[in-house]
Amino acid sequence: MNRLQRALDAIVERVDTPAPIVLADVMQDNIDRMQSFAAQHNLDVRPHVKTHKCVEIGRRQVDAGAIGITAGNVGEAEVFAAAGFDDIFIAYPVWPTGRKGARIRRLAETTRLRLGVDNFAAIDAIADAMEDDAGRLQVVVEVDCGARRSGAPPDAAGDLATLARKRGLVPVGVFTYPGHGSASPDARKRAAHDQEAALTAAVHSLNAAGISTAVVSAGSTPTVEFSTSSVITEIRPGEYVFNDLNNSRLGACTEDQIALFVAGAVVSDWVSDQRILDVGTKALSREGNLEIGYGAVAGTSAVLSKLNEYHGFLPLPAGDFRPSVGTVIPVVPNHVCPVVINFEELIVTDSTGASLQRWPVDARGFLN
Amino acid sequence: MNRLQRALDAIVERVDTPAPIVLADVMQDNIDRMQSFAAQHNLDVRPHVKTHKCVEIGRRQVDAGAIGITAGNVGEAEVFAAAGFDDIFIAYPVWPTGRKGARIRRLAETTRLRLGVDNFAAIDAIADAMEDDAGRLQVVVEVDCGARRSGAPPDAAGDLATLARKRGLVPVGVFTYPGHGSASPDARKRAAHDQEAALTAAVHSLNAAGISTAVVSAGSTPTVEFSTSSVITEIRPGEYVFNDLNNSRLGACTEDQIALFVAGAVVSDWVSDQRILDVGTKALSREGNLEIGYGAVAGTSAVLSKLNEYHGFLPLPAGDFRPSVGTVIPVVPNHVCPVVINFEELIVTDSTGASLQRWPVDARGFLN
């Protein structure tokens, strides 16, 4: 990954560290490759914007052929709707606390809005909040496929969709998230298999209730390669746009497909064989563990062993890598999503470092 | 901590979850108690704004008697300077990447600005960046007291201050951070002892170089109780303003002194003896481990066992606590600082829930 250092060197005088650097060419290749894969398997792509929270990147995904976007909460959907995105799926079993019911109703006036539901009480609460406008809101029943997180048992999907229809909402299908596919490289295929079984059962459950399933929606970057069953109509990958070390370890991307890193400066070098970088949890978030560390320096075997809020601890491996104070180096995150939300803007260049743009992380603060 | 649930219940209809709730009365007590402690020991208080990043809270700290504020980077200092704070110490060995040198020079034009330094190269780089204005910038030499993070050996402090003076900067003293005092309750006192020894040695080193030490600055919420040596002139606690479970475990606060929690809703309950909350890493950050979990429900023994980005996994302990879907409950974070930066605003009430204000987290995005 020395190419990351080369790109960084070309723009370094314009980068205040720490800063998230995006290689637009690598990102565009990631977007196009996912779209080609989906086209080959007759799948719609509805990328999850949680990874980038950036309108400019969402536009590129739609320009490449995405049919709409996936959001994780109402706030993200509002930001993208205000920017002109008109087909949004909040893939989350939202409970309408506070003003959220009214916010959902307002969003549905101008956007084709889909909302996840996984339980009877929430369907009632959301239908109540929609008042006379329930018919504007499509709902998608979440079923569990083994992640043991949210999602109803697949055979309950029909009853949930029936209640939604009875309350005037528009049930359009089912979705799931194979989160257990991120446990190991081997888990990916097994989780995708579980996903197919759960979605198939959920489709049967809706159809048995007389409800058709236009939408049968699957996750996720680590499992998408195996999510090609004929029952599935759309995929909702998020991380593929940037990729990261976790996906690389799972075999879901190569290191060359990682499109985002954090530029950090060496700020202190008094402890022998250690450098302190200005990259701590306030830049990287605490994603990792003692075994894999908290982020790696591209082109080296050096890994951050510990993070404080503004400090990253970098033990130096044996060898030539002995950066002096003031050196700016590329840190590749384990998990990219919690990095992006720490920053106001992405510094966007390409592998040659020939250009530099700043794109706002538009939806970074809107997390409810 | 059932009082947190009571305060939450009083405002719950105006809270879109997840949301950070501040009890202003508990916070004000924390501020006042720290100020009394400092007055009693003849110490100045210079609170670290990393914990709240909120101008309104910084003002309350100054109104209570703080002599100025501590920031962790240039961006935080800029936000608070723009809001009228005129005495700011960036307690970090900044390397002036990109435009940072010019930003520091600009800040020093309108604010009494102090900057941490721990190495010769950075002193030169900062002096270069200050151009003819070096005399406007006070520098404070960081020394290590055992955290093995940043900071020069105490006996190098005099040489560093000498170079700073030669370059036209204004060396005013020394500082350290006893980070190793957060390792365990017993470590607090030992680390404070190490801190005193390192600061004493550093003062001698500066004095031997003919440089006086108006500022001898110490951390930190966990160690401040023991930071009362006569060599110390100021303390820089941050977390005390809100407190959190980590400080409570260390014995640095009581649970009744915790002034911030995250309101989360139960959104799914299909897995038996488990609830899913809409509180994941995008709200809490990943602060914790398998042993202590990732946040606790106030007034219960329930602890989040795992976080995804938008989902918190809450195994239910034996007993009566069986919240239904839609219930909004107070989650107390392990480490409060990485929570606040995830949000646009703090919801501020008091222990009775009688009022509700929204205070912006002004400096949340400015992390370089």
Side-chain angles (χ1 to χ4, degrees):
Chain A
M1 290 193 286
N2 271 316
R3 63 195 178 79
L4 301 189
Q5 183 73 61
R6 283 195 299 275
L8 176 55
D9 288 346
I11 59 170
V12 69
E13 292 184 1
R14 288 181 285 170
V15 174
D16 295 18
T17 55
I21 314 288
V22 174
L23 301 182
D25 51 345
V26 179
M27 179 185 76
Q28 191 65 50
D29 285 349
N30 292 342
I31 292 171
D32 293 342
R33 197 171 49 254
M34 185 61 75
Q35 206 64 48
S36 300
F37 169 83
Q40 191 185 333
H41 295 284
N42 201 26
L43 294 165
D44 292 330
V45 182
R46 183 182 285 281
H48 205 309
V49 299
K50 67 169 185 163
T51 304
H52 56 70
K53 296 212 176 207
C54 171
V55 164
E56 184 65 36
I57 295 176
R59 288 207 182 105
R60 282 168 197 241
Q61 291 172 314
V62 170
D63 287 348
I67 57 157
I69 59 168
T70 303
N73 59 33
V74 180
E76 287 172 9
E78 287 169 334
V79 170
F80 280 81
F85 291 75
D86 59 3
D87 190 337
I88 303 178
F89 173 26
I90 303 176
Y92 193 84
V94 173
W95 181 273
T97 45
R99 304 160 300 184
K100 263 196 216 179
R103 291 163 63 197
I104 292 168
R105 194 172 74 235
R106 244 183 345 259
L107 257 181
E109 286 171 9
T110 55
T111 306
R112 189 174 80 164
L113 187 66
R114 288 180 185 159
L115 193 69
V117 291
D118 92 344
N119 65 84
F120 299 100
I123 290 168
D124 275 328
I126 287 160
D128 289 347
M130 290 300 292
E131 299 175 1
D132 294 338
D133 281 341
R136 287 185 185 273
L137 185 63
Q138 301 186 351
V139 297
V140 190
V141 177
E142 182 176 7
V143 296
D144 178 51
C145 67
R148 310 282 290 166
R149 192 173 75 173
S150 48
D155 60 9
D159 287 345
L160 289 161
T162 299
L163 174 63
R165 192 167 56 180
K166 185 177 149 205
R167 291 301 315 267
L169 301 164
V170 183
V172 296
V174 295
F175 79 106
T176 193
Y177 175 73
H180 54 315
S182 299
S184 70
D186 290 345
R188 295 165 60 212
K189 195 169 180 176
R190 283 201 305 274
H193 184 266
D194 294 344
Q195 172 176 259
E196 181 182 340
L199 288 173
T200 302
V203 166
H204 288 160
S205 178
L206 258 71
N207 293 350
I211 298 171
S212 64
T213 47
V215 179
V216 182
S217 180
S220 66
T221 296
T223 56
V224 72
E225 178 181 347
F226 308 107
S227 302
T228 56
S229 145
S230 61
V231 73
I232 296 171
T233 65
E234 79 174 15
I235 51 176
R236 305 186 315 278
E239 295 169 353
Y240 79 98
V241 69
F242 294 142
N243 288 313
D244 54 25
L245 288 180
N246 284 353
N247 278 293
S248 158
R249 288 186 193 103
L250 288 170
C253 71
T254 67
E255 290 199 351
D256 283 349
Q257 292 166 349
I258 295 176
L260 184 147
F261 63 87
V262 176
V266 178
V267 296
S268 185
D269 67 350
W270 285 101
V271 178
S272 74
D273 296 328
Q274 175 182 282
R275 298 292 182 270
I276 297 295
L277 307 186
D278 58 4
V279 175
T281 58
K282 278 189 156 61
L284 282 177
S285 297
R286 196 180 303 286
E287 296 282 328
N289 55 48
L290 291 177
E291 190 189 340
I292 63 172
Y294 295 90
V297 179
T300 78
S301 57
V303 170
L304 291 166
S305 64
K306 179 176 161 182
L307 301 179
N308 286 172
E309 287 176 64
Y310 299 88
H311 301 75
F313 292 68
L314 188 71
L316 296 179
D320 293 339
F321 180 62
R322 291 286 176 281
S324 56
V325 167
T327 307
V328 179
I329 56 185
V331 177
V332 183
N334 286 323
H335 184 192
V336 69
C337 309
V339 174
V340 170
I341 57 166
N342 292 329
F343 292 91
E344 293 280 298
E345 60 185 17
L346 303 169
I347 311 289
V348 183
T349 181
D350 63 25
S351 296
T352 68
S355 62
L356 190 151
Q357 295 181 60
R358 296 170 194 274
W359 293 353
V361 183
D362 306 274
R364 66 185 287 272
F366 295 84
L367 50 58
N368 65 30
Chain B
M1 289 192 286
N2 272 318
R3 63 192 180 79
L4 302 189
Q5 182 74 61
R6 281 195 300 275
L8 177 55
D9 288 345
I11 59 169
V12 69
E13 291 184 2
R14 288 180 286 169
V15 175
D16 295 18
T17 56
I21 314 289
V22 174
L23 300 182
D25 50 345
V26 180
M27 179 185 77
Q28 190 66 48
D29 285 349
N30 292 342
I31 292 171
D32 293 341
R33 196 170 52 253
M34 185 61 75
Q35 205 65 46
S36 298
F37 169 84
Q40 192 184 333
H41 295 284
N42 201 26
L43 295 165
D44 293 330
V45 182
R46 184 181 284 281
H48 205 309
V49 299
K50 66 170 186 163
T51 304
H52 56 70
K53 295 212 177 208
C54 171
V55 163
E56 185 63 37
I57 296 176
R59 287 206 182 107
R60 284 170 194 240
Q61 292 172 314
V62 170
D63 288 349
I67 58 158
I69 59 168
T70 303
N73 59 33
V74 179
E76 286 172 10
E78 287 169 334
V79 169
F80 281 82
F85 291 75
D86 59 3
D87 190 336
I88 302 177
F89 173 25
I90 303 175
Y92 193 85
V94 174
W95 182 272
T97 44
R99 303 160 300 184
K100 263 195 217 180
R103 290 165 61 197
I104 292 167
R105 195 172 72 236
R106 243 181 347 257
L107 257 181
E109 286 171 8
T110 56
T111 306
R112 188 175 82 165
L113 187 67
R114 288 180 183 157
L115 193 68
V117 292
D118 91 346
N119 65 84
F120 300 100
I123 291 168
D124 276 327
I126 287 159
D128 289 347
M130 290 299 293
E131 299 175 359
D132 294 341
D133 282 340
R136 288 184 185 274
L137 185 63
Q138 300 186 352
V139 297
V140 189
V141 177
E142 182 176 7
V143 296
D144 178 52
C145 67
R148 310 282 290 166
R149 193 173 75 173
S150 48
D155 60 7
D159 287 346
L160 288 162
T162 299
L163 174 63
R165 190 167 59 179
K166 188 177 145 204
R167 292 300 314 268
L169 301 164
V170 183
V172 295
V174 295
F175 79 106
T176 193
Y177 175 73
H180 54 315
S182 300
S184 70
D186 290 344
R188 295 166 60 213
K189 194 170 182 177
R190 284 202 305 274
H193 185 266
D194 295 343
Q195 172 177 261
E196 180 182 341
L199 288 172
T200 302
V203 166
H204 289 160
S205 178
L206 257 72
N207 293 350
I211 297 171
S212 63
T213 47
V215 178
V216 182
S217 179
S220 67
T221 296
T223 57
V224 71
E225 178 181 348
F226 310 106
S227 301
T228 55
S229 145
S230 62
V231 73
I232 297 171
T233 66
E234 79 174 16
I235 51 175
R236 305 185 316 279
E239 294 167 356
Y240 79 99
V241 69
F242 296 140
N243 289 313
D244 54 25
L245 289 180
N246 283 352
N247 277 293
S248 159
R249 289 186 192 104
L250 288 170
C253 70
T254 66
E255 291 199 352
D256 282 348
Q257 292 165 350
I258 295 176
L260 184 146
F261 63 87
V262 176
V266 178
V267 296
S268 185
D269 66 352
W270 284 102
V271 177
S272 75
D273 295 328
Q274 175 182 281
R275 298 292 181 269
I276 297 295
L277 307 185
D278 58 3
V279 175
T281 58
K282 279 188 155 61
L284 282 176
S285 296
R286 196 181 304 286
E287 296 282 327
N289 55 49
L290 291 178
E291 191 189 340
I292 64 171
Y294 295 89
V297 179
T300 78
S301 58
V303 170
L304 291 165
S305 63
K306 178 177 161 181
L307 301 180
N308 287 172
E309 287 177 61
Y310 299 88
H311 301 73
F313 293 68
L314 187 72
L316 296 180
D320 292 340
F321 180 61
R322 291 285 177 279
S324 57
V325 168
T327 308
V328 179
I329 56 185
V331 177
V332 183
N334 286 322
H335 183 192
V336 68
C337 309
V339 174
V340 170
I341 57 167
N342 292 330
F343 292 91
E344 293 280 299
E345 60 184 17
L346 303 169
I347 311 290
V348 184
T349 181
D350 63 25
S351 296
T352 68
S355 62
L356 191 151
Q357 294 181 60
R358 296 170 194 275
W359 294 353
V361 183
D362 307 274
R364 65 185 288 273
F366 295 84
L367 53 55
N368 64 31

